[in-house]
Amino acid sequence: MAGKGRGLGVSALVVGLLGLVLAIGTFAHLRSAYGASTMSGSSMRPTYDTGDRIIWEHVDGSEVRRGDVVMFTPPESYGFDEILMKRVIGVGGDRVACCTTVGTQQRVTVNGKPIEEPYVYGGDADGAHQSYDVKVPQGRLFLLGDYRANSNDSRFHATDHGGTVSVDAVRGRVTDDRRTPALLGAALVLGGVLVLVGIGLGIGAWAVRRRKAVQAPPSPWPVH
């Protein structure tokens, strides 16, 4: 009985500590590597719509590339400071202009070449019927929403660095990969389960020891 109680106690300690380390480590990694938001507007339709749950990975702004969808803190010219989502159209050194006609469609050009934008709402790459021609400074990004007729983006802040946004304002890059966050979430749950199992084993070890103490025979020697 004593060996059983001791074994349960050791198991409780090992399992509980393993679960605690797994849960804390996974939670810390999730917090540092990913963020989550819910779309509150329609400026990124049809790619992302109001109410969609968005997962984004924390990256340095210098890592993003054309076509990436980023989360960023807008400059003061936007009039509010909540995190926004837009698509990167131009990076430092690019020249972004609107628009040129290709066939029957208006197209945004980057460095003089019309770009393919299958993601824009209704195929309308212009939306605002407002021309612009911006040389993106180094360390800055030119950002547009996918719903060009309903997006507050770089086009409307020309007096602030041509409407561009500093790479330092980027908080993350939107990812459609749900597998990695899901695996991390499962590891977090597993860690919590192991902690509970460890607690259960600890209670079992305590119960075994208590039962042994109650069942122990009295000493045959008189006490003086």
Side-chain angles (χ1 to χ4, degrees):
M1 185 71 75
K4 182 178 180 181
R6 188 178 302 109
L8 283 174
V10 172
S11 297
L13 183 62
V14 172
V15 172
L17 285 176
L18 178 62
L20 192 62
V21 170
L22 180 61
I24 292 176
T26 303
F27 179 75
H29 181 65
L30 275 170
R31 286 288 301 272
S32 64
Y34 293 95
S37 302
T38 300
M39 281 295 294
S40 58
S42 59
S43 67
M44 288 301 294
R45 292 179 64 192
T47 312
Y48 303 102
D49 208 344
T50 305
D52 285 351
R53 188 67 172 167
I54 306 301
I55 302 297
W56 40 283
E57 54 183 345
H58 293 288
V59 297
D60 187 89
S62 61
E63 298 177 37
V64 302
R65 299 293 180 262
R66 300 185 203 101
D68 287 344
V69 177
V70 297
M71 309 296 294
F72 70 102
T73 302
E76 292 183 2
S77 60
Y78 280 69
F80 50 89
D81 58 4
E82 64 181 79
I83 294 179
L84 296 180
M85 177 198 294
K86 302 297 176 189
R87 190 179 296 275
V88 178
I89 303 300
V91 298
D94 286 340
R95 181 180 179 182
V96 182
C98 181
C99 281
T100 188
T101 303
V102 178
T104 60
Q105 290 187 320
Q106 294 292 300
R107 301 263 288 277
V108 172
T109 64
V110 176
N111 301 324
K113 297 179 180 180
I115 61 174
E116 293 283 349
E117 296 191 279
Y119 42 76
V120 296
Y121 184 81
D124 182 8
D126 181 357
H129 305 293
Q130 175 178 319
S131 62
Y132 52 85
D133 189 339
V134 177
K135 178 74 172 181
V136 183
Q138 292 296 331
R140 301 188 73 85
L141 305 169
F142 192 88
L143 307 174
L144 296 177
D146 287 354
Y147 189 178
R148 299 288 159 81
N150 188 36
S151 177
N152 180 14
D153 48 40
S154 290
R155 296 170 295 174
F156 305 107
H157 303 274
T159 58
D160 183 5
H161 297 83
T164 61
V165 173
S166 171
V167 295
D168 295 333
V170 172
R171 295 293 170 262
R173 176 172 51 205
V174 176
T175 177
D176 292 326
D177 175 21
R178 302 299 178 94
R179 182 173 56 183
T180 301
L183 288 174
L184 290 171
L188 179 60
V189 171
L190 176 60
V193 170
L194 289 176
V195 169
L196 293 177
V197 170
I199 293 173
L201 290 173
I203 293 173
W206 174 82
V208 168
R209 289 176 183 144
R210 184 172 178 80
R211 191 179 306 119
K212 177 181 178 294
V214 171
Q215 294 176 349
S219 174
W221 304 101
V223 178
H224 299 286

